[in-house]
Amino acid sequence: MPARREGFTPGEMMVSLGSRFREESEKKRRALTRQPTLVTGAAGFIGYHVAERLLEQGEPVLGCDNLSPYYDVALKEARLDRLRARTGFEFARCDVGDRSAVARLFEGKRPRRVIHLAAQAGVRHSIKDPHAYADSNLAGFVNVLEGCRHAGVEHLVYASSSSVYGSNARLPFSEHDPADHPLSLYAATKRSNELMAHSYAHLFRLPCSGLRFFTVYGPWGRPDMALFLFTRAIVNGDPIELFNEGRMTRAFTYIDDAVDAVSSVLERPPQTDPSWSRERPDPATSSAPHRLVNIGSPDPVDLLRCVALLEEYLGRTAVRKLLPIQPGDVEATAADTSDLEELIGSHPATPLEVGIRRFVEWYRGYYSV
């Protein structure tokens, strides 16, 4: 009797492979006919990774982005090229600050869920160009909220930021603490987004989840972020600028961990909290279907540790330029992830050594270093 491979005869194996092929084909067909999840900022760092994860899960994705020249547009186009190559992805070039364009997008595509990641980013840049933040982060967010309201969106997940904690010195930062003293206009717009979303959750029962991201890094990252800037400077032999003379700690969050959290939160629309009290209001929950969640590593890391790892993986020594702390910066961040763990059963856990090594490997490959 011929040997059976993994418990199957050749005939049974062919039937199994055929069944698997039909299942995959059916999954792709369903993905093309279901209402998509809209991912704004799909050409951005987190947006690209989130869209890719949803597509891997068989979810149709409608990506939108205005391809702002805030940083290298070629990098954004390269991310988009990878998404366009996948089944179930559709792209619309759209600026969320354009009220008519956003309204047309929602009316034409009727997304089932929305992950809003489009924004004008950057703490320091908000001091130089404040109007860009008002146009994109405030007016743009109203446009998205209105689109969600009129399209009957099931769940809006939107990006906030750890910068909203501002001058709060109590560590780790908790969603249950007030966040009323932002130190930059960027942080103020993100805190405003949280309040705006809450008002729509209250008035129109639109389920909204605000995600306070803590220093997300990894492959395909943003060139204006510290690790990217340090890597480029070290490779080119230029000095790296260490503000506050490098005495900074951050809750660095690897991109895969952040995406795990986003995709898990998306599947769990918030409910009203029956224990919420008007006499003792909890900033993190509400009598409306709105929640705030920290997305960050619970283990903050010294910035100089990151520099040392970059030196090790690049095989080069950094030239350090020590500078005073910049307006809008905070010396330390740390994320209280207890609410995230209760909600999705996990928290970001990729070791910094692993995350930075993967980033350096991507950087070397993408830039042919």
Side-chain angles (χ1 to χ4, degrees):
M1 180 181 293
R4 303 182 74 182
R5 185 180 177 186
E6 297 181 355
F8 290 95
T9 66
E12 289 171 334
M13 188 173 294
M14 290 298 294
V15 171
S16 176
L17 290 174
S19 176
R20 189 179 307 168
F21 176 78
R22 287 193 296 274
E23 287 176 3
E24 290 298 321
S25 298
E26 178 62 17
K27 184 187 293 184
K28 290 180 180 180
R29 187 194 67 78
R30 290 198 305 267
L32 292 172
T33 56
R34 285 200 308 271
Q35 288 176 279
T37 295
L38 171 62
V39 178
T40 71
F45 172 37
I46 300 177
Y48 156 69
H49 283 280
V50 167
E52 192 169 58
R53 174 67 61 82
L54 293 175
L55 292 167
E56 288 172 354
Q57 295 171 346
E59 290 293 321
V61 173
L62 170 63
C64 94
D65 203 292
N66 68 349
L67 299 177
S68 159
Y70 170 65
Y71 64 77
D72 185 14
V73 174
L75 178 59
K76 298 181 180 183
E77 289 282 10
R79 296 177 186 135
L80 275 181
D81 287 343
R82 292 170 64 91
L83 292 175
R84 288 188 176 110
R86 305 191 68 121
T87 300
F89 181 76
E90 181 182 0
F91 179 70
R93 184 159 184 171
C94 176
D95 187 334
V96 295
D98 185 332
R99 185 194 305 181
S100 298
V102 172
R104 287 195 300 271
L105 185 68
F106 274 89
E107 289 169 6
K109 302 299 182 180
R110 310 295 293 186
R112 182 167 64 95
R113 304 178 297 185
V114 174
I115 303 175
H116 178 54
L117 301 169
Q120 177 58 60
V123 169
R124 293 169 196 148
H125 188 67
S126 67
I127 300 172
K128 300 176 183 178
D129 188 7
H131 294 289
Y133 293 76
D135 294 342
S136 181
N137 300 7
L138 298 179
F141 194 55
V142 171
N143 295 338
V144 170
L145 286 169
E146 278 291 283
C148 291
R149 168 195 173 191
H150 292 292
V153 164
E154 296 174 6
H155 189 191
L156 167 63
V157 176
Y158 65 94
S160 185
S161 165
S162 62
S163 65
V164 302
Y165 290 108
S167 59
N168 186 352
R170 179 178 175 178
L171 295 175
F173 292 147
S174 170
E175 306 95 326
H176 302 278
D177 291 335
D180 299 327
H181 297 86
L183 298 181
S184 68
L185 181 64
Y186 169 71
T189 63
K190 287 299 183 178
R191 180 67 180 121
S192 298
N193 287 171
E194 295 176 353
L195 301 175
M196 294 157 73
H198 182 271
S199 71
Y200 270 67
H202 171 73
L203 292 170
F204 309 112
R205 315 314 289 177
L206 170 65
C208 298
S209 295
L211 308 183
R212 291 175 172 173
F213 289 108
F214 284 69
T215 316
V216 183
Y217 74 100
W220 296 96
R222 273 174 37 202
D224 63 321
M225 298 291 283
L227 286 180
F228 206 116
L229 291 170
F230 291 168
T231 301
R232 176 179 291 164
I234 294 171
V235 167
N236 294 336
D238 298 328
I240 62 171
E241 296 184 335
L242 294 170
F243 297 104
N244 201 38
E245 299 183 344
R247 297 190 298 271
M248 312 273 267
T249 58
R250 290 289 183 269
F252 285 97
T253 310
Y254 187 61
I255 182 61
D256 288 358
D257 294 332
V259 172
D260 287 344
V262 174
S263 61
S264 295
V265 170
L266 180 65
E267 299 299 331
R268 297 164 172 82
Q271 307 294 322
T272 59
D273 182 356
S275 65
W276 191 84
S277 168
R278 296 176 62 182
E279 288 72 28
R280 295 183 302 278
D282 181 349
T285 63
S286 176
S287 58
H290 181 268
R291 71 160 74 96
L292 297 171
V293 187
N294 285 339
I295 308 295
S297 169
D299 303 311
V301 177
D302 189 277
L303 188 62
L304 295 178
R305 172 63 178 153
C306 297
V307 175
L309 287 171
L310 288 174
E311 290 176 320
E312 177 183 345
Y313 298 143
L314 291 168
R316 308 183 188 192
T317 301
V319 179
R320 292 164 167 78
K321 183 178 180 180
L322 304 182
L323 297 169
I325 195 167
Q326 296 291 287
D329 276 356
V330 296
E331 292 185 20
T333 66
D336 181 337
T337 59
S338 54
D339 280 12
L340 179 64
E341 292 175 43
E342 183 177 347
L343 179 63
I344 69 172
S346 64
H347 65 260
T350 299
L352 187 72
E353 294 81 2
V354 174
I356 290 185
R357 185 179 69 248
R358 290 174 182 169
F359 168 72
V360 169
E361 289 171 352
W362 168 81
Y363 187 95
R364 285 184 180 278
Y366 184 77
Y367 290 102
S368 302
V369 175

